[in-house]
């Protein structure tokens, strides 16, 4: 009997430790300067080759996200199949743990992991396929997951510079009660076209290195999020009272996070914040967060 080859890919979430929105672009997106960092909250995909024409997704826990054609995993699989001229199909099982609609890039991470898993089951060496180009057509956060670790993003967020790992900080993350709409948050800024770009200590750090100026880190989407979703504000205030290194809304929210210098501090604070159902996770090095296909053979 032939053996079935599955490829498992674990993908982490992300937070933006800094996010400047500089203005609206002619293509309708917003021009950003942002500091992405991978965080140890993980989804997992198991990808199996299938006959031509079959592209199927199952999700665990059932209903955590849609398993239909609108899921970024399905869109990534269809796009990869077309772009790489692949005859075979695929069955993909997604184990979902990254909060959904929370500004942690979960759907984007899943899409990037789909590309990595499919390149492996379809025997397309990663060096031979243009994953980065495909990634940016799938969403503004998707290319970051192919860089992993810590990265500086410009443009829509897709022009990336890999940066050195940050100190081994730990995060407490408080997921929102309900998903937050990213387009709604951006639209509510009501920004005009890109004007003159102000000085930014975090931008200077991204180019020059040294110690990340935590006091200059900010998220320009945060005021719009906390006005529309008051429970996000309550959670953010609860985190700020714990005297963290940094506390902010992640991306377009509604997850909020706080950064601490050690795991012990993060776990202590999480225990005190138990009613908000906190997640505790480390910032990840590039080595730990890089998407890797793990081949599993089954008789
Ligand atoms: O690229 P992605 O599909 O993830 O973006 C979702 C939405 O977020 C966009 O349709 C747009 O409304 C908003 N967005 C933006 N500028 C960015 C990234 C996202 O306006 N740089």
């Amino acid at each position: 009997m032939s053996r079935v080859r599955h490829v498992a890919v674990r993908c982490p979430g992300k937070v933006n430790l800094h996010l400047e929105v500089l203005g609206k672009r002619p293509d309708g997106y917003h021009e950003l300067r942002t500091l992405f960092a991978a965080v140890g909250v993980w989804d997992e995909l198991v990808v199996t080759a299938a006959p031509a024409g079959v592209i199927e997704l199952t999700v665990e826990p059932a209903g955590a996200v849609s398993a239909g054609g609108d899921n970024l995993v399905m869109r990534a699989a269809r796009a990869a199949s077309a772009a790489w001229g692949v005859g075979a199909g695929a069955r993909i099982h997604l184990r979902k743990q990254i909060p959904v609609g929370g500004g942690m890039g979960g759907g984007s991470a899943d899409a990037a992991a789909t590309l990595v898993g499919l390149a492996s089951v379809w025997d397309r060496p990663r060096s031979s396929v243009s994953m980065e180009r495909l990634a940016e057509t799938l969403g503004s956060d998707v290319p970051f997951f192919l860089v992993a670790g810590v990265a500086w993003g410009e443009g829509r967020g897709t022009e990336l510079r890999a940066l050195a790992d940050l100190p081994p900080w730990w995060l407490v993350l408080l997921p929102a009660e309900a998903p937050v709409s990213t387009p709604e948050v951006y639209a509510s800024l009501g920004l005009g076209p890109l004007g003159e770009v102000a000085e930014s200590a975090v931008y200077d750090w991204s180019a020059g290195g040294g110690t990340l100026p935590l006091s200059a880190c900010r998220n320009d989407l945060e005021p719009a999020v906390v006005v529309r979703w008051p429970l996000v504000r309550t959670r953010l205030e609860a985190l700020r009272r714990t005297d963290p290194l940094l506390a902010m809304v992640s991306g377009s929210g509604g997850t909020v996070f706080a950064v601490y210098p050690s795991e012990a501090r993060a776990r202590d604070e999480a225990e005190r914040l138990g009613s908000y159902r906190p997640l505790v996770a480390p910032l990840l090095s590039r080595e730990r967060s890089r998407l890797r296909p793990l081949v599993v053979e089954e008789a």
Side-chain angles (χ1 to χ4, degrees), residues 21 23-25 27-32 72 75 108 136-142 154-158 181-184 186-187 252:
V21 186
K24 198 157 180 197
R25 297 155 44 112
D27 64 7
Y29 285 88
H30 289 77
E31 184 75 15
L32 308 180
L72 267 180
R75 288 174 45 204
S108 304
E136 80 177 63
T137 65
L138 292 165
S140 305
D141 288 342
V142 182
E154 296 189 13
R156 280 166 59 208
T158 58
S181 158
T182 301
E184 194 180 326
Y186 274 101
S252 58

